[in-house]
Amino acid sequence: MEFMNRLPMSLRALVLFAGLFFASVTGANAFTIQEVTSPGGIKAWLVEEHAIPLLAMNYSFRGGTERDPAGKEGVSEFLTGMMDEGAGEMLSAEFQKKRDELAFRMSFDAGTDFFEGGFQTLTRNRDAATDLLKLVVTAPRFDAEPLERVRQQYLLNVKETDQDPSSMAWQAWIEDILPGDPYSRRDGGTEATITAITADDLHAAHRRIFNRDTLQVSVVGDISAKELGPLLDKVFGTLPEEAPEQPELPEAKPVMGPKVKIIDRDMPQSVIVFGTDGIKRDDPDFIPAFVMSEILGSGGLTSRLSEEIREKRGLTYGVSYGLSPMGRVGLYTGSLQTKNESAGEALDAAREVIRKYAEEGPSQQDLDDAKTFLTGSYALRFSSNAAIANQLLGIQQQNLGIDYVEKRNSLVGAVTLDQVKAQAKRLLHPDRLIVTVVGQPQGVK
């Protein structure tokens, strides 16, 4: 509460309002999703909720860090840090002062496949706040002083990432399973690439990313469909119709193991990352595979891997293993941390649990428990305006359809034991794991 008390009153109200929408929602399908088309042809999904004077909007453009030019890796991430450093005729300090006066929130994120934006404002400030958002989206400034200041922040991030054992393990693992693919490059760049990025590079990244052709928008809160249409045109309507022409990237091709890489680092624990190829989100058997994965390694402390490695043997505080669908590839990824002297035992135990599960699958009780949890917890993903907007945007990005929220639990509920066992046999291959270990592990074979 001390943090809340230091905030300006208007911003404090925004923080409080952001978490209140859940009080009026009793389930994941307790709201209506409308598809709105603006007069200028921009489409968005809308959930109206007028009880609270707050608007949340999430939006994205296709083409994230995988599209960073060679030698300019990290430019998309760099762009996220520059989007509030002035826009239009407003320099950085003036823009940020006005943003704080209006108490709106704005954020940007560069993922591998999508560049995303988030925006929240109180209804009374909506017109003025979206005026500023339009400037940011259409005319960001990349002036020398803020550019160098932000560059230093990202150079520090690069150094910290390069020294972080978990980041080291994941980066080495992705380079081994997808060698040479844009997915395996460093999303945040390197010291050399961040140092080389110029204002012209940021402008080029902005032109590449921000276009109406790949725009997807979700809006939740105190606005009607009639009001939303003109707002969409105001914020996004002057963006280019299409992005500059770019070559299509082929499907990524995972390397098959077994392979083990050990990165020596003087520390008491080993970080272990492991995995194989998986499936993409559009696979027709994704839901049965998702349920199968939940029981094996995605279900927290109740998963098979956690029960064996954490609860029975006490080798780790946590272990996970789950599906990682991406735009051009599907992977099956896992990780754990353990003492160096127990690294071999923990990895062998993981392989054995995966092997046994692939052969036998779960019990009917395991399946029933997983389905009860997955369907019962789904509503928790919709805990605020911003959370709902984020969920709806993800559904759009994955092309799951506007009715997915309504039918998702029935899809999970319909999964059979035979389907789960079939997916376990199909996707689990402990004999071809790609493994990366950072530390000084003992007994790793």
Side-chain angles (χ1 to χ4, degrees):
M1 290 305 294
E2 290 182 3
F3 165 74
M4 289 289 291
N5 291 334
R6 290 197 300 268
L7 293 175
M9 181 62 70
S10 56
L11 186 55
R12 198 184 314 168
L14 178 58
V15 173
L16 291 172
F17 277 135
L20 290 179
F21 181 70
F22 185 60
S24 62
V25 177
T26 57
N29 59 353
F31 49 81
T32 301
I33 306 169
Q34 308 172 61
E35 183 172 78
V36 175
T37 302
S38 75
I42 298 173
K43 294 184 182 297
W45 288 3
L46 168 65
V47 174
E48 292 188 43
E49 173 48 55
H50 300 286
I52 300 169
L54 176 71
L55 173 74
M57 178 166 64
N58 283 36
Y59 55 94
S60 73
F61 304 90
R62 192 175 306 116
T65 58
E66 67 167 352
R67 289 289 185 175
D68 287 354
K72 303 292 184 178
E73 290 86 357
V75 68
S76 295
E77 184 66 31
F78 202 144
L79 182 61
T80 68
M82 291 296 298
M83 294 298 288
D84 66 346
E85 295 288 349
E89 299 298 320
M90 303 177 70
L91 300 180
S92 176
E94 181 185 1
F95 178 88
Q96 293 176 3
K97 179 181 178 182
K98 189 65 174 177
R99 177 200 61 194
D100 292 344
E101 289 174 354
L102 293 172
F104 69 86
R105 287 180 171 183
M106 183 177 65
S107 62
F108 295 91
D109 179 68
T112 53
D113 296 305
F114 295 95
F115 189 98
E116 299 182 359
F119 173 78
Q120 296 177 56
T121 182
L122 294 166
T123 301
R124 67 172 181 264
N125 296 335
R126 187 175 69 203
D127 290 342
T130 52
D131 285 343
L132 289 190
L133 179 63
K134 174 188 177 179
L135 287 180
V136 170
V137 168
T138 60
R141 298 178 66 98
F142 305 124
D143 296 321
E145 186 279 326
L147 191 152
E148 292 307 318
R149 172 165 40 80
V150 172
R151 187 196 309 279
Q152 294 308 310
Q153 295 171 1
Y154 279 105
L155 287 172
L156 180 60
N157 290 345
V158 168
K159 292 179 180 179
E160 291 177 347
T161 299
D162 286 346
Q163 295 301 313
D164 177 65
S166 182
S167 298
M168 293 170 60
W170 279 107
Q171 183 60 43
W173 183 85
I174 196 74
E175 290 173 358
D176 277 348
I177 199 167
L178 296 176
D181 190 271
Y183 280 148
S184 68
R185 299 184 303 178
R186 295 172 184 262
D187 291 348
T190 65
E191 184 175 355
T193 63
I194 294 298
T195 300
I197 290 170
T198 66
D200 287 342
D201 295 323
L202 293 170
H203 281 295
H206 180 264
R207 288 192 298 271
R208 168 176 60 83
I209 293 167
F210 284 75
N211 66 88
R212 289 177 53 182
D213 184 47
T214 66
L215 172 66
Q216 293 175 304
V217 186
S218 63
V219 179
V220 180
D222 186 23
I223 191 169
S224 67
K226 184 177 180 180
E227 294 170 313
L228 178 59
L231 185 146
L232 293 171
D233 284 342
K234 179 174 80 169
V235 175
F236 303 110
T238 59
L239 288 174
E241 192 70 35
E242 296 180 352
E245 187 173 351
Q246 302 173 77
E248 285 293 320
L249 295 174
E251 291 289 295
K253 297 181 179 179
V255 169
M256 300 298 142
K259 180 178 180 180
V260 176
K261 174 185 286 185
I262 297 175
I263 301 174
D264 185 87
R265 187 174 176 85
D266 186 10
M267 57 187 201
Q269 287 199 325
S270 289
V271 178
I272 304 174
V273 173
F274 55 94
T276 63
D277 59 327
I279 57 174
K280 296 198 298 182
R281 186 59 184 84
D282 59 2
D283 189 287
D285 292 315
F286 183 86
I287 292 294
F290 167 67
V291 177
M292 178 277 293
S293 174
E294 175 73 16
I295 300 167
L296 173 61
S298 301
L301 300 182
T302 63
S303 72
R304 287 284 185 91
L305 283 168
S306 183
E307 182 181 354
E308 180 64 31
I309 300 174
R310 182 185 190 276
E311 301 301 325
K312 291 184 178 180
R313 304 194 187 201
L315 298 177
T316 182
Y317 286 113
V319 55
S320 64
Y321 192 40
L323 296 170
S324 299
M326 302 161 72
R328 296 184 295 108
V329 72
L331 299 175
Y332 208 138
T333 62
S335 66
L336 64 89
Q337 295 187 36
T338 189
K339 294 182 294 185
N340 284 326
E341 52 267 35
S342 59
E345 181 185 357
L347 184 57
D348 287 345
R351 287 193 180 106
E352 178 59 22
V353 171
I354 295 169
R355 182 198 65 76
K356 185 176 181 181
Y357 188 79
E359 293 177 355
E360 301 176 1
S363 68
Q364 184 64 52
Q365 187 62 54
D366 291 332
L367 176 58
D368 292 342
D369 291 345
K371 291 198 292 186
T372 297
F373 171 77
L374 290 171
T375 55
S377 63
Y378 188 52
L380 300 179
R381 301 186 185 185
F382 303 85
S383 58
S384 68
N385 288 25
I388 296 170
N390 185 59
Q391 286 293 314
L392 297 188
L393 183 64
I395 292 170
Q396 290 185 68
Q397 291 171 343
Q398 296 166 1
N399 298 313
L400 300 179
I402 199 168
D403 61 342
Y404 180 76
V405 174
E406 295 180 0
K407 68 182 183 181
R408 184 268 192 186
N409 276 356
S410 63
L411 294 173
V412 172
V415 171
T416 68
L417 188 61
D418 286 344
Q419 288 177 314
V420 170
K421 290 182 176 181
Q423 293 308 307
K425 285 183 169 61
R426 173 194 178 194
L427 296 173
L428 300 178
H429 304 284
D431 58 332
R432 66 187 199 203
L433 288 177
I434 302 287
V435 179
T436 302
V437 187
V438 175
Q440 294 180 333
Q442 299 177 22
V444 172
K445 298 189 287 290

